Amino acid sequence: KNEVEQSPQNLTAQEGEFITINCSYSVGISALHWLQQHPGGGIVSLFMLSSGKKKHGRLIATINIQEKHSSLHITASHPRDSAVYICAVSRAGTASKLTFGTGTRLQVTL
Amino acid sequence: NAGVTQTPKFQVLKTGQSMTLQCAQDMNHEYMSWYRQDPGMGLRLIHYSVGAGITDQGEVPNGYNVSRSTTEDFPLRLLSAAPSQTSVYFCASSYSARGWNEQFFGPGTRLTVL
């Protein structure tokens, strides 16, 4: 079993829909990262969080440390949100070394 | 700032050939790392460095060497390429090896080994 699991693997939504991507992990962590990878490959960091909730524009990330679970929400989705969203964890004691989930491929259509 | 740069973007090798993937960052970051990305799998750590002169193995180090003679550069060497090393390779850096920090990724190198 992978230490970081994401669901769903693939997601298709219509423009304007509210989207949720889930991440569960089984190891002790110091932080959780959400990353975005657009077609063409570039990876950018969206959020780092160790507790609670963070918001940036239409993106919201939450984490529940007790349940070892995080969610990434996209409000009012747009075709430009189409990308692969990757969850990664900084394991406790090895903060800069990340363990990655396999990603969620999101397609937003008009 | 250019951020994290990688060269080449694409490379085709024959089995047994050697090559070096270049990675450089201009942000004076302490921590640098190499990952490979394969279909259906998450990114996996190959090697990492917590500062000039200090490197260590990650999850999948076999067949790869690294060195870090300067803060800026962290090249990845394939000693004798094998088809199993066909993958997309990403270099990343972050400000510090201590604590948790935003990771900055290079654009990737797509490597095919025939």
Side-chain angles (χ1 to χ4, degrees), chain B residues 6 17 29 31 36 57 61 69 72 77 88 99 102 110:
Chain B
Q6 288 183 239
Q17 287 185 315
H29 281 176
Y31 182 83
R36 59 179 289 172
Q57 296 181 350
S69 55
E72 294 78 21
R77 296 183 193 84
V88 182
E102 182 179 359
R110 187 174 293 274

Side-chain angles (χ1 to χ4, degrees), chain A residues 88-108:
Chain A
V89 299
S90 296
R91 299 173 71 140
T94 60
S96 289
K97 291 168 66 176
L98 301 186
T99 302
F100 294 81
T102 55
T104 295
R105 186 175 300 274
L106 171 65
Q107 181 75 35
V108 182

Side-chain angles (χ1 to χ4, degrees), chain B residues 39-112:
Chain B
M41 304 183 76
L43 284 96
R44 292 181 292 168
L45 182 64
I46 304 171
H47 285 285
Y48 66 98
S49 169
V50 299
I54 307 168
T55 64
D56 205 348
Q57 296 181 350
E59 191 182 344
V60 288
N62 292 342
Y64 308 95
N65 270 357
V66 291
S67 60
R68 184 122 177 249
S69 55
T70 67
T71 300
E72 294 78 21
D73 299 298
F74 191 44
L76 178 72
R77 296 183 193 84
L78 279 70
L79 308 172
S80 177
S84 61
Q85 293 178 304
T86 294
S87 188
V88 182
Y89 292 85
F90 288 95
C91 178
S93 73
S94 63
Y95 174 72
S96 172
R98 294 171 295 278
W100 42 280
N101 301 274
E102 182 179 359
Q103 301 263 328
F104 293 82
F105 288 82
T109 295
R110 187 174 293 274
L111 175 67
T112 302

Side-chain angles (χ1 to χ4, degrees), chain A residues 8-52:
Chain A
Q9 284 188 310
N10 296 283
L11 184 55
T12 301
Q14 286 197 318
E15 184 177 11
E17 284 187 9
F18 181 85
I19 289 162
T20 296
I21 299 170
N22 296 298
C23 176
S24 297
Y25 54 92
S26 58
V27 295
I29 70 169
S30 56
L32 185 139
H33 303 248
W34 281 103
L35 308 162
Q36 180 190 56
Q37 184 173 24
H38 274 289
I43 301 172
V44 295
S45 176
L46 297 175
F47 295 104
M48 290 184 298
L49 63 168
S50 60
S51 65

